[in-house]
Amino acid sequence: MQIIKQKHDLQQQVKTLKFQGKSIGFVPTMGALHAGHLALVKQALQHCDVVVVSIFVNPTQFENPEDLLQYPRNLEKDVEMLSQLDDALFVFQPEASQIYGKDVNAKHFSFDGIEDQMEGQFRKGHFDGVGTVVKKFFELVQPDKAFFGEKDFQQLQIIRKLVEKLQLTVEVVGCPIEREESGLARSSRNERLSLEQRQKAARLYAVLQQAKYCFGTKSALEVKKWVKTQFEVESDLKLEYFEIANEDTLQPLHEKQRDEKYRAFIAAYSGEIRLIDNIALN
Ligand code: AMP
């Protein structure tokens, strides 16, 4: 495994790998790695000759400066975890100046309305930041395949749209959500929860599973009403949104269509910590 900090060194390495005819997989992360990230890296290693894992807490995707400041960072442990996987790994861990120079700002993107839903409504400018950094990384790494978790399903669809719009040749691979034993979706943010909060946060996935069951016989509106009532009595978790949306367009569902795929999405706060999750409904 090699650790690369300079953009220039990464570019050199990519050039050599391309010359050698090696396929490159890419897994972008913000570090504080857990089993969810490792599942992505393992999948990438199965499909590509070498894998670049970036560890970069991207400042332009945080609309809340406090959240950026509090975001967990644990580089030593991250490197330790990755070093146990495979030799064919390159860890790219740049400073913000390597990526942005002096212009630490997001570019504006249109993702055909995907960016206006859910996370886009509650985290203004978030997807511009994601689009900006992922475009820069794709240009540097030139991956054949890039691996993203369904944990951030809206982000995954944003990246697919970015690739389509920019006519990039990278194949975007979506990977299933890794969960803790309780059902709570693994997240770097879980580290900031107390033991009790962490146990109670498992309720999010339980609600999603119940919503999926209800969706078999009830309308989206009825399911949404039911979920809201669940959080009126639930004092430890504060619901931000629950939505049922089309998997491709992310537009909220009004009337079920037979051949369309739907997903339920949830965001809630446990104390100060914002958690998100989702589930396929059909
Ligand atoms: P992050 O470090 O949170 O930006 O996540 C980096 C990548 O890991 C993203 O593609 C996430 O969707 C993915 N990821 C994060 N948590 C999980 C999880 N529990 N299961 C699967 N993928 C995940």
Side-chain angles (χ1 to χ4, degrees), residues 109-115 127 131 134 138 148 153-168 170 172 247-251:
F109 291 87
S110 162
F111 296 113
D112 294 349
I114 298 178
E115 73 278 24
F127 289 125
V134 171
F138 279 176
F148 291 85
F153 194 85
Q154 192 174 3
Q155 169 176 278
L156 169 65
Q157 298 303 54
I158 289 272
I159 303 300
R160 291 202 161 114
K161 189 56 85 177
L162 179 86
V163 166
E164 177 193 315
K165 291 217 159 192
L166 299 176
Q167 299 184 313
L168 305 177
V170 52
V172 176
E247 256 196 29
D248 294 323
T249 63
L250 275 287
Q251 297 302 308

Side-chain angles (χ1 to χ4, degrees), residues 87-105:
D87 281 348
L89 268 184
F90 294 88
V91 180
F92 182 44
Q93 193 254 316
E95 294 291 328
S97 59
Q98 288 284 311
I99 301 301
Y100 286 100
K102 289 202 169 89
D103 183 20
V104 191
N105 286 302

Side-chain angles (χ1 to χ4, degrees), residues 199-217:
Q199 279 163 354
K200 289 191 167 155
R203 177 98 183 99
L204 285 188
Y205 184 50
V207 167
L208 283 179
Q209 285 178 304
Q210 283 171 289
K212 178 177 177 147
Y213 179 73
C214 294
F215 188 71
T217 52

Side-chain angles (χ1 to χ4, degrees), residues 28-30 34 36-37 40 71 148-149 151-152 176-178 186:
T29 81
M30 297 205 298
H34 51 68
H37 297 112
L40 262 63
Y71 197 84
F148 291 85
K151 157 80 179 11
D152 303 280
I177 303 174
E178 293 287 320
R186 291 191 187 276

Side-chain angles (χ1 to χ4, degrees), residues 233-245:
V233 288
E234 176 77 68
S235 59
D236 295 290
L237 292 166
K238 194 166 151 283
L239 182 67
E240 187 170 65
Y241 66 75
F242 172 82
E243 189 57 272
I244 295 178

Side-chain angles (χ1 to χ4, degrees), residues 263-278:
R263 232 167 228 268
F265 297 84
I266 198 161
Y269 278 89
S270 173
E272 301 280 289
I273 316 301
R274 187 171 184 276
L275 301 167
I276 60 169
D277 200 352
N278 67 86

